[in-house]
Amino acid sequence: MKSIPVILENASTNWGGYAPDLPGCIATGETIEETLVRLKEAIHLHLELMIEEGEEIPEVLASEFSLDVQIAAG
């Protein structure tokens, strides 16, 4: 099993997600949960296709970090 970092973004009417280490591997959903399920399926299919095509599975390069940033009131 391999852990693949993903990014989720709120698009005001739905959610979008992608895997930075797998260009073109994206999914959308109405909720975070739905988006994660669809993204997991998309990643699985993306990797299966890469294997079928004889492509090398990329090394995971993305890392997850959150930064707390203080914003001065203007």
Side-chain angles (χ1 to χ4, degrees), residues 33-66:
E33 294 78 15
E34 180 180 38
T35 305
L36 286 172
V37 167
R38 289 180 174 181
L39 189 52
K40 187 173 183 177
E41 292 170 356
I43 290 169
H44 182 78
L45 292 172
H46 191 98
L47 293 174
E48 274 187 350
L49 183 60
M50 289 182 76
I51 291 168
E52 285 177 18
E53 298 282 325
E55 296 180 37
E56 190 173 327
I57 302 299
E59 182 180 335
V60 173
L61 300 174
S63 296
E64 179 184 343
F65 293 95
S66 292

Side-chain angles (χ1 to χ4, degrees), residues 11 14-18 26-31 34-39 42:
N14 69 343
W15 287 85
Y18 64 95
I26 62 171
T28 61
E30 291 185 22
T31 65
E34 180 180 38
T35 305
L36 286 172
V37 167
R38 289 180 174 181
L39 189 52

